[in-house]
Amino acid sequence: MKAVLTSGAGIASFAAAMLLIGPIPGEARDYGHVGQVFPIIEPDLLATIEARLRRAEGSGELARMNEQFARRVEQRVRRPKPVDGITPARMARSWDYDPTIAIERDIRDQKGNLIAGAGHRINPLDFVEIKQDLVFVDGDDATQLAWATSRYTDLKAKIIFVNGSPIDAMTAKKRRFYFDQEGKLTATFGIEHTPAVVSQNGRTMRVSEIVLKPGKSG
């Protein structure tokens, strides 16, 4: 039967016996210092965030924040950030853009057959035909927009805004418009002024910046 220690003398005797016995092999080990321990003095972060969200929801603040965010997104979609550095053309100029690229490494098919070797130059216009012109305009400039829409149909060209709202223009004009997001196309072709027209000219793309007379729309 197990002895029950109920008095101070009994506890003292038990402690003395443990000291005499010494450490029991395999029972206690020093695992070293694992890491610094900090007391938990702050509430859980997720619980704090959840509580704040609940308060915001209850006060209507969360709904207002969602509405403001939705409005900002809609505004950015309807009116993207204008392409930097594009101004109305004051002097007509034209040049050719060569889309030829040099292959950096060998290109092979699934069977290992060589398609194009490193250093080989490829012109995409040898394989595709650009049937539509690319017409770049400032969508907020009524003269440029009227000139482009009266001169080019949807089948003949893609009208690309560098500024303005293509969605609003589509609603008003009942035709499709595009936007040069982040100015990637104008940078590629070197366009600095509008209106500008890019069209295929054999194995190159002909780029022309056009000067419009005040009030000219055709």
Side-chain angles (χ1 to χ4, degrees):
M1 296 179 62
K2 294 182 179 179
V4 179
L5 304 179
T6 58
S7 66
I11 295 175
S13 299
F14 178 77
M18 292 301 296
L19 289 174
L20 290 173
I21 294 173
I24 301 175
E27 290 295 322
R29 296 179 182 176
D30 183 1
Y31 288 93
H33 186 68
V34 176
Q36 189 172 0
V37 179
F38 296 93
I40 301 176
I41 58 176
E42 295 184 359
D44 181 78
L45 179 60
L46 292 178
T48 301
I49 295 175
E50 183 178 0
R52 290 182 178 178
L53 285 174
R54 286 179 177 176
R55 288 197 298 270
E57 184 177 13
S59 66
E61 181 182 357
L62 186 60
R64 288 192 296 271
M65 292 172 61
N66 286 335
E67 184 178 352
Q68 291 173 359
F69 176 76
R71 282 201 301 267
R72 286 197 297 269
V73 171
E74 181 183 1
Q75 289 172 357
R76 180 56 61 91
V77 171
R78 297 185 69 89
R79 178 174 284 273
K81 183 179 181 296
V83 179
D84 292 332
I86 305 295
T87 60
R90 303 300 182 196
M91 179 181 299
R93 63 178 188 141
S94 298
W95 64 94
D96 288 326
Y97 169 76
D98 185 353
T100 300
I101 58 173
I103 304 300
E104 296 182 355
R105 60 180 64 87
D106 290 349
I107 299 177
R108 299 180 181 274
D109 61 18
Q110 295 179 346
K111 296 182 178 180
N113 298 317
L114 183 66
I115 298 176
H120 184 72
R121 296 175 65 82
I122 295 179
N123 187 330
L125 296 179
D126 290 336
F127 309 97
V128 297
E129 180 183 358
I130 308 300
K131 296 182 179 180
Q132 290 177 295
D133 292 348
L134 305 179
V135 181
F136 296 85
V137 299
D138 181 342
D140 281 346
D141 187 320
T143 300
Q144 290 190 28
L145 187 56
W147 173 84
T149 54
S150 64
R151 190 179 183 90
Y152 296 94
T153 65
D154 276 336
L155 292 177
K156 188 176 180 181
K158 294 182 183 296
I159 299 179
I160 304 171
F161 285 16
V162 298
N163 182 39
S165 172
I167 293 180
D168 290 346
M170 282 190 283
T171 302
K173 301 290 186 179
K174 307 301 181 185
R175 61 176 296 176
R176 186 180 296 275
F177 296 98
Y178 303 85
F179 197 92
D180 184 16
Q181 296 286 351
E182 300 180 359
K184 293 185 181 298
L185 290 175
T186 48
T188 296
F189 294 117
I191 295 171
E192 297 177 353
H193 311 286
T194 55
V197 179
V198 180
S199 56
Q200 184 173 353
N201 181 30
R203 301 182 74 248
T204 64
M205 299 295 289
R206 187 68 171 173
V207 186
S208 300
E209 293 178 348
I210 300 168
V211 178
L212 297 182
K213 295 180 180 180
K216 181 179 180 180
S217 60

Coordinates of all heavy atoms in Angstrom, one line a residue, residues 126-196:
D126 N 7.3 38.5 -90.6 CA 7.5 37.5 -91.6 C 6.4 36.4 -91.5 O 6.2 35.6 -92.4 CB 8.9 36.8 -91.5 CG 10.0 37.8 -91.9 OD1 9.7 38.8 -92.7 OD2 11.2 37.6 -91.4
F127 N 5.8 36.4 -90.3 CA 4.8 35.3 -90.1 C 3.4 35.8 -89.9 O 2.4 35.0 -90.0 CB 5.2 34.5 -88.9 CG 6.7 34.0 -88.9 CD1 7.7 34.8 -88.3 CD2 7.0 32.9 -89.6 CE1 9.0 34.3 -88.3 CE2 8.3 32.5 -89.7 CZ 9.3 33.2 -89.0
V128 N 3.2 37.0 -89.5 CA 1.9 37.6 -89.3 C 1.7 38.9 -90.0 O 2.7 39.6 -90.4 CB 1.6 37.8 -87.7 CG1 1.7 36.6 -87.0 CG2 2.7 38.8 -87.2
E129 N 0.5 39.2 -90.3 CA 0.1 40.5 -90.9 C -0.7 41.3 -90.0 O -1.7 40.8 -89.5 CB -0.6 40.2 -92.2 CG -1.0 41.4 -93.0 CD -1.9 41.1 -94.2 OE1 -2.1 39.9 -94.5 OE2 -2.3 42.1 -94.9
I130 N -0.3 42.5 -89.8 CA -1.1 43.5 -89.0 C -2.1 44.2 -89.8 O -1.7 45.1 -90.6 CB -0.1 44.5 -88.3 CG1 1.0 43.8 -87.6 CG2 -0.9 45.3 -87.3 CD1 0.6 42.8 -86.5
K131 N -3.3 43.8 -89.7 CA -4.4 44.3 -90.6 C -5.0 45.6 -90.1 O -5.6 46.3 -90.9 CB -5.5 43.2 -90.8 CG -5.0 42.0 -91.5 CD -6.1 41.0 -91.7 CE -5.6 39.7 -92.4 NZ -6.7 38.7 -92.6
Q132 N -4.9 45.9 -88.8 CA -5.5 47.1 -88.3 C -4.4 48.0 -87.9 O -3.4 47.6 -87.3 CB -6.3 46.8 -87.0 CG -7.6 46.0 -87.4 CD -8.4 45.7 -86.1 OE1 -7.9 44.9 -85.3 NE2 -9.6 46.3 -85.9
D133 N -4.5 49.3 -88.2 CA -3.6 50.3 -87.7 C -3.8 50.5 -86.2 O -4.9 50.2 -85.7 CB -3.9 51.7 -88.4 CG -3.5 51.6 -89.9 OD1 -2.8 50.6 -90.3 OD2 -3.8 52.6 -90.6
L134 N -2.8 51.0 -85.5 CA -2.9 51.4 -84.1 C -2.9 52.9 -84.1 O -1.9 53.6 -84.5 CB -1.8 50.8 -83.3 CG -1.6 49.3 -83.4 CD1 -0.4 48.9 -82.5 CD2 -2.8 48.6 -83.0
V135 N -4.0 53.5 -83.6 CA -4.2 55.0 -83.6 C -4.2 55.5 -82.1 O -5.1 55.1 -81.4 CB -5.4 55.4 -84.3 CG1 -5.6 56.9 -84.3 CG2 -5.5 54.9 -85.7
F136 N -3.2 56.2 -81.7 CA -3.0 56.7 -80.4 C -3.5 58.2 -80.3 O -3.1 59.0 -81.1 CB -1.6 56.7 -79.9 CG -1.0 55.3 -79.9 CD1 -0.5 54.6 -81.0 CD2 -1.0 54.5 -78.7 CE1 0.0 53.4 -81.0 CE2 -0.5 53.2 -78.6 CZ 0.0 52.7 -79.8
V137 N -4.5 58.4 -79.3 CA -5.0 59.7 -79.1 C -5.2 60.1 -77.7 O -5.2 59.1 -76.8 CB -6.4 59.9 -79.8 CG1 -6.3 59.7 -81.3 CG2 -7.4 58.9 -79.2
D138 N -5.3 61.3 -77.4 CA -5.7 61.8 -76.1 C -7.2 61.8 -76.0 O -7.9 62.6 -76.7 CB -5.1 63.2 -75.8 CG -5.5 63.7 -74.4 OD1 -6.4 63.2 -73.8 OD2 -4.9 64.7 -74.0
G139 N -7.8 60.9 -75.2 CA -9.2 60.7 -75.2 C -10.0 61.9 -74.6 O -11.2 62.1 -74.9
D140 N -9.3 62.8 -73.9 CA -9.9 64.0 -73.4 C -9.8 65.2 -74.4 O -10.3 66.3 -74.1 CB -9.2 64.4 -72.1 CG -9.7 63.6 -70.9 OD1 -10.7 62.9 -71.0 OD2 -9.0 63.7 -69.8
D141 N -9.1 65.0 -75.5 CA -9.0 66.0 -76.5 C -10.1 65.8 -77.6 O -10.0 64.8 -78.4 CB -7.6 66.0 -77.2 CG -7.3 67.1 -78.1 OD1 -8.3 67.5 -78.9 OD2 -6.2 67.6 -78.1
A142 N -11.1 66.6 -77.6 CA -12.2 66.4 -78.5 C -11.8 66.4 -79.9 O -12.4 65.6 -80.8 CB -13.3 67.4 -78.2
T143 N -10.8 67.2 -80.3 CA -10.4 67.3 -81.7 C -9.7 66.0 -82.1 O -10.0 65.5 -83.2 CB -9.4 68.5 -81.9 OG1 -10.1 69.7 -81.5 CG2 -9.0 68.6 -83.3
Q144 N -8.8 65.5 -81.3 CA -8.1 64.3 -81.6 C -9.1 63.1 -81.7 O -9.0 62.3 -82.6 CB -7.1 63.9 -80.5 CG -5.9 64.9 -80.5 CD -4.8 64.4 -79.6 OE1 -4.6 63.2 -79.4 NE2 -4.0 65.3 -79.1
L145 N -10.1 63.0 -80.8 CA -11.0 61.9 -80.8 C -11.9 62.0 -82.0 O -12.2 61.0 -82.7 CB -11.8 61.9 -79.5 CG -12.8 60.8 -79.3 CD1 -12.0 59.4 -79.3 CD2 -13.5 60.9 -77.9
A146 N -12.4 63.2 -82.3 CA -13.2 63.3 -83.5 C -12.5 63.0 -84.8 O -13.0 62.4 -85.7 CB -13.8 64.8 -83.6
W147 N -11.2 63.4 -84.9 CA -10.4 63.1 -86.0 C -10.2 61.6 -86.2 O -10.4 61.0 -87.3 CB -9.0 63.7 -85.9 CG -8.0 63.4 -86.9 CD1 -7.8 63.9 -88.1 CD2 -7.0 62.3 -86.8 NE1 -6.8 63.3 -88.8 CE2 -6.3 62.3 -88.0 CE3 -6.7 61.4 -85.8 CZ2 -5.3 61.4 -88.3 CZ3 -5.7 60.5 -86.0 CH2 -5.0 60.5 -87.3
A148 N -9.9 60.9 -85.1 CA -9.7 59.4 -85.2 C -11.0 58.7 -85.5 O -11.0 57.8 -86.4 CB -9.2 58.9 -83.8
T149 N -12.1 59.0 -84.9 CA -13.3 58.3 -85.1 C -13.9 58.6 -86.5 O -14.6 57.7 -87.1 CB -14.4 58.6 -84.1 OG1 -14.6 60.0 -84.0 CG2 -13.9 58.1 -82.7
S150 N -13.7 59.7 -87.1 CA -14.2 60.0 -88.4 C -13.3 59.4 -89.5 O -13.8 59.2 -90.6 CB -14.3 61.6 -88.6 OG -13.0 62.2 -88.6
R151 N -12.1 59.2 -89.2 CA -11.1 58.7 -90.2 C -11.0 57.1 -90.2 O -10.7 56.5 -91.2 CB -9.8 59.3 -89.9 CG -8.7 59.1 -91.0 CD -7.4 59.8 -90.6 NE -6.4 59.7 -91.6 CZ -6.2 60.5 -92.6 NH1 -7.0 61.6 -92.7 NH2 -5.3 60.3 -93.5
Y152 N -11.2 56.5 -89.0 CA -11.0 55.1 -88.9 C -12.2 54.4 -88.3 O -12.8 54.8 -87.3 CB -9.8 54.8 -87.9 CG -8.5 55.4 -88.4 CD1 -8.0 56.6 -88.0 CD2 -7.7 54.6 -89.3 CE1 -6.8 57.1 -88.4 CE2 -6.5 55.1 -89.7 CZ -6.0 56.3 -89.3 OH -4.8 56.8 -89.7
T153 N -12.6 53.3 -89.0 CA -13.6 52.4 -88.4 C -13.0 51.4 -87.5 O -11.8 51.2 -87.4 CB -14.4 51.7 -89.6 OG1 -13.4 50.8 -90.2 CG2 -14.9 52.7 -90.6
D154 N -13.9 50.6 -86.8 CA -13.4 49.6 -85.9 C -12.6 48.5 -86.7 O -11.6 47.9 -86.2 CB -14.6 48.9 -85.2 CG -15.0 49.7 -84.0 OD1 -14.1 50.4 -83.4 OD2 -16.1 49.5 -83.5
L155 N -13.0 48.2 -87.9 CA -12.3 47.2 -88.7 C -11.0 47.7 -89.2 O -10.0 46.9 -89.4 CB -13.2 46.9 -90.0 CG -14.5 46.1 -89.6 CD1 -15.3 45.8 -90.9 CD2 -14.2 44.8 -88.9
K156 N -10.8 49.0 -89.4 CA -9.6 49.6 -90.0 C -8.5 49.8 -88.9 O -7.3 49.8 -89.2 CB -9.9 50.9 -90.7 CG -8.7 51.4 -91.5 CD -9.1 52.6 -92.4 CE -7.9 53.1 -93.2 NZ -8.3 54.3 -93.9
A157 N -9.0 50.1 -87.7 CA -8.0 50.5 -86.7 C -8.5 50.3 -85.3 O -9.7 50.2 -85.0 CB -7.6 52.0 -86.8
K158 N -7.5 50.1 -84.4 CA -7.8 50.2 -82.9 C -7.4 51.5 -82.4 O -6.2 51.9 -82.5 CB -7.0 49.1 -82.2 CG -7.3 47.6 -82.6 CD -6.5 46.7 -81.8 CE -6.8 45.2 -82.2 NZ -8.1 44.8 -81.9
I159 N -8.4 52.2 -81.9 CA -8.1 53.6 -81.3 C -7.7 53.4 -79.8 O -8.5 52.9 -79.0 CB -9.3 54.5 -81.5 CG1 -9.6 54.7 -83.0 CG2 -9.0 55.8 -80.8 CD1 -10.8 55.5 -83.2
I160 N -6.5 53.8 -79.5 CA -5.9 53.6 -78.2 C -5.7 54.9 -77.5 O -5.0 55.8 -78.0 CB -4.6 52.9 -78.3 CG1 -4.8 51.6 -79.1 CG2 -4.0 52.6 -76.9 CD1 -3.5 50.9 -79.5
F161 N -6.3 55.0 -76.3 CA -6.2 56.3 -75.5 C -4.9 56.3 -74.7 O -4.4 55.2 -74.3 CB -7.3 56.4 -74.5 CG -8.7 56.8 -75.1 CD1 -8.9 56.7 -76.4 CD2 -9.7 57.2 -74.2 CE1 -10.1 57.1 -76.9 CE2 -10.9 57.6 -74.7 CZ -11.1 57.5 -76.1
V162 N -4.3 57.5 -74.6 CA -3.2 57.7 -73.7 C -3.6 58.5 -72.5 O -2.9 58.7 -71.5 CB -2.0 58.3 -74.4 CG1 -1.4 57.5 -75.5 CG2 -2.4 59.7 -74.9
N163 N -4.8 58.9 -72.6 CA -5.5 59.7 -71.5 C -7.0 59.7 -71.7 O -7.4 59.6 -72.8 CB -4.9 61.2 -71.5 CG -5.5 62.0 -70.4 OD1 -5.6 61.6 -69.3 ND2 -5.8 63.3 -70.7
G164 N -7.7 59.8 -70.6 CA -9.2 59.9 -70.7 C -9.8 58.6 -70.3 O -9.2 57.6 -69.8
S165 N -11.1 58.5 -70.6 CA -11.9 57.3 -70.2 C -12.4 56.6 -71.4 O -13.4 57.0 -72.0 CB -13.1 57.8 -69.3 OG -14.0 56.7 -69.1
P166 N -11.8 55.4 -71.7 CA -12.3 54.7 -72.9 C -13.7 54.1 -72.6 O -14.5 54.0 -73.6 CB -11.3 53.5 -73.0 CG -10.6 53.4 -71.7 CD -10.6 54.8 -71.1
I167 N -14.1 53.9 -71.4 CA -15.4 53.4 -71.1 C -16.5 54.4 -71.4 O -17.5 54.2 -72.0 CB -15.5 52.9 -69.6 CG1 -14.7 51.6 -69.4 CG2 -17.0 52.6 -69.3 CD1 -14.7 51.1 -68.0
D168 N -16.2 55.7 -70.9 CA -17.2 56.7 -71.2 C -17.3 57.0 -72.7 O -18.4 57.3 -73.2 CB -16.7 58.0 -70.5 CG -16.9 57.9 -69.0 OD1 -17.6 57.0 -68.5 OD2 -16.3 58.8 -68.2
A169 N -16.1 56.9 -73.4 CA -16.1 57.2 -74.8 C -16.9 56.1 -75.6 O -17.6 56.3 -76.5 CB -14.7 57.2 -75.4
M170 N -16.8 54.8 -75.1 CA -17.5 53.7 -75.7 C -19.0 53.9 -75.6 O -19.8 53.6 -76.5 CB -17.1 52.4 -75.1 CG -15.7 51.9 -75.7 SD -15.4 50.2 -75.2 CE -14.8 50.4 -73.5
T171 N -19.4 54.4 -74.4 CA -20.8 54.6 -74.1 C -21.4 55.7 -75.1 O -22.5 55.6 -75.6 CB -21.1 55.0 -72.7 OG1 -20.6 54.0 -71.8 CG2 -22.5 55.3 -72.4
A172 N -20.6 56.8 -75.2 CA -21.0 57.9 -76.0 C -20.9 57.6 -77.5 O -21.8 58.0 -78.3 CB -20.2 59.1 -75.7
K173 N -19.9 56.9 -78.0 CA -19.6 56.7 -79.4 C -20.1 55.4 -79.9 O -20.2 55.2 -81.2 CB -18.1 56.8 -79.7 CG -17.5 58.1 -79.3 CD -17.9 59.3 -80.2 CE -17.1 60.6 -79.9 NZ -17.5 61.7 -80.8
K174 N -20.5 54.5 -79.0 CA -21.0 53.2 -79.4 C -20.0 52.4 -80.3 O -20.4 51.8 -81.3 CB -22.3 53.3 -80.2 CG -23.4 54.2 -79.5 CD -23.8 53.6 -78.2 CE -24.9 54.4 -77.5 NZ -25.2 54.0 -76.2
R175 N -18.8 52.5 -79.9 CA -17.7 51.7 -80.5 C -16.6 51.4 -79.5 O -16.6 51.9 -78.4 CB -17.1 52.4 -81.7 CG -16.5 53.8 -81.4 CD -15.9 54.4 -82.7 NE -14.8 53.6 -83.2 CZ -14.1 53.9 -84.3 NH1 -14.5 54.9 -85.1 NH2 -13.1 53.1 -84.7
R176 N -15.7 50.5 -79.9 CA -14.7 50.0 -78.9 C -13.5 51.0 -78.9 O -13.0 51.4 -80.0 CB -14.3 48.6 -79.3 CG -13.3 48.0 -78.3 CD -13.0 46.6 -78.7 NE -14.2 45.7 -78.8 CZ -14.7 45.1 -77.7 NH1 -14.1 45.2 -76.5 NH2 -15.7 44.3 -77.8
F177 N -13.0 51.2 -77.7 CA -11.7 51.9 -77.5 C -10.8 51.2 -76.6 O -11.3 50.3 -75.8 CB -12.0 53.3 -77.0 CG -12.8 54.2 -77.9 CD1 -14.1 54.4 -77.7 CD2 -12.2 54.9 -78.9 CE1 -14.9 55.2 -78.6 CE2 -12.9 55.7 -79.8 CZ -14.3 55.9 -79.6
Y178 N -9.5 51.5 -76.6 CA -8.5 50.8 -75.8 C -7.7 51.8 -75.0 O -7.9 53.0 -75.2 CB -7.6 49.9 -76.7 CG -8.4 48.9 -77.5 CD1 -8.9 49.3 -78.8 CD2 -8.6 47.6 -77.1 CE1 -9.6 48.4 -79.5 CE2 -9.3 46.7 -77.9 CZ -9.8 47.1 -79.1 OH -10.5 46.2 -79.9
F179 N -6.9 51.3 -74.1 CA -6.0 52.2 -73.4 C -4.6 51.6 -73.3 O -4.4 50.4 -73.1 CB -6.6 52.4 -71.9 CG -6.0 53.6 -71.2 CD1 -6.6 54.9 -71.3 CD2 -4.8 53.6 -70.5 CE1 -6.1 56.0 -70.7 CE2 -4.2 54.7 -69.9 CZ -4.9 55.9 -70.0
D180 N -3.6 52.5 -73.4 CA -2.2 52.1 -73.4 C -1.8 52.0 -71.9 O -1.2 52.9 -71.4 CB -1.3 53.1 -74.2 CG 0.1 52.6 -74.2 OD1 0.4 51.4 -73.9 OD2 1.0 53.5 -74.5
Q181 N -2.1 50.9 -71.3 CA -1.8 50.7 -69.9 C -0.3 50.8 -69.6 O 0.5 50.2 -70.2 CB -2.3 49.3 -69.4 CG -3.8 49.1 -69.5 CD -4.5 49.9 -68.4 OE1 -3.9 50.4 -67.5 NE2 -5.9 49.9 -68.5
E182 N 0.0 51.7 -68.7 CA 1.4 51.9 -68.2 C 2.3 52.4 -69.4 O 3.5 52.4 -69.2 CB 2.0 50.7 -67.6 CG 1.2 50.2 -66.3 CD 1.8 49.0 -65.7 OE1 2.8 48.5 -66.2 OE2 1.3 48.6 -64.7
G183 N 1.7 52.8 -70.5 CA 2.5 53.4 -71.6 C 3.4 52.4 -72.3 O 4.4 52.8 -72.9
K184 N 3.1 51.1 -72.2 CA 3.9 50.1 -72.8 C 4.1 50.2 -74.3 O 5.1 50.1 -74.9 CB 3.5 48.7 -72.4 CG 3.6 48.4 -70.9 CD 3.2 47.0 -70.5 CE 3.3 46.7 -69.0 NZ 4.7 46.9 -68.5
L185 N 2.9 50.5 -75.0 CA 3.0 50.5 -76.4 C 3.7 51.8 -76.9 O 4.5 51.7 -77.9 CB 1.6 50.4 -77.0 CG 0.9 49.1 -76.9 CD1 -0.6 49.2 -77.4 CD2 1.6 48.0 -77.7
T186 N 3.3 52.9 -76.4 CA 4.0 54.2 -76.8 C 5.5 54.1 -76.5 O 6.3 54.7 -77.3 CB 3.3 55.4 -76.1 OG1 3.2 55.1 -74.7 CG2 2.0 55.7 -76.6
A187 N 5.9 53.5 -75.4 CA 7.3 53.4 -75.1 C 8.0 52.5 -76.2 O 9.1 52.7 -76.6 CB 7.5 52.8 -73.7
T188 N 7.3 51.4 -76.5 CA 7.9 50.4 -77.5 C 8.1 51.1 -78.9 O 9.2 51.0 -79.5 CB 6.9 49.2 -77.7 OG1 6.9 48.5 -76.5 CG2 7.5 48.3 -78.8
F189 N 7.1 51.9 -79.3 CA 7.2 52.5 -80.6 C 7.9 53.9 -80.6 O 8.2 54.5 -81.6 CB 5.8 52.7 -81.2 CG 5.2 51.4 -81.6 CD1 4.0 51.1 -80.9 CD2 5.7 50.6 -82.5 CE1 3.3 49.9 -81.3 CE2 5.1 49.4 -82.8 CZ 3.9 49.0 -82.2
G190 N 8.2 54.4 -79.4 CA 8.9 55.7 -79.2 C 8.0 56.9 -79.5 O 8.5 58.0 -79.8
I191 N 6.7 56.7 -79.2 CA 5.7 57.8 -79.5 C 5.8 58.8 -78.3 O 5.7 58.4 -77.1 CB 4.3 57.2 -79.6 CG1 4.2 56.4 -80.9 CG2 3.3 58.3 -79.6 CD1 2.9 55.6 -81.0
E192 N 5.9 60.1 -78.6 CA 5.9 61.1 -77.6 C 4.8 62.1 -77.8 O 4.5 62.9 -76.9 CB 7.2 61.9 -77.7 CG 8.5 61.0 -77.4 CD 9.8 61.8 -77.6 OE1 9.7 63.0 -78.0 OE2 10.8 61.2 -77.3
H193 N 4.1 62.1 -78.9 CA 3.0 63.1 -79.2 C 1.9 62.4 -79.9 O 2.0 61.3 -80.6 CB 3.6 64.2 -80.1 CG 4.8 64.8 -79.6 ND1 4.9 65.6 -78.5 CD2 6.1 64.6 -80.1 CE1 6.2 66.0 -78.4 NE2 6.9 65.4 -79.3
T194 N 0.7 62.9 -79.7 CA -0.5 62.4 -80.3 C -1.2 63.5 -81.1 O -1.1 64.7 -80.8 CB -1.5 61.8 -79.3 OG1 -1.8 62.9 -78.3 CG2 -0.9 60.6 -78.6
P195 N -2.0 63.1 -82.1 CA -2.3 61.7 -82.5 C -1.1 61.1 -83.2 O -0.3 61.8 -83.8 CB -3.5 61.8 -83.4 CG -3.4 63.2 -84.0 CD -2.8 64.1 -82.9
A196 N -1.0 59.8 -83.1 CA 0.0 59.0 -83.7 C -0.6 57.7 -84.3 O -1.5 57.2 -83.8 CB 1.1 58.6 -82.7

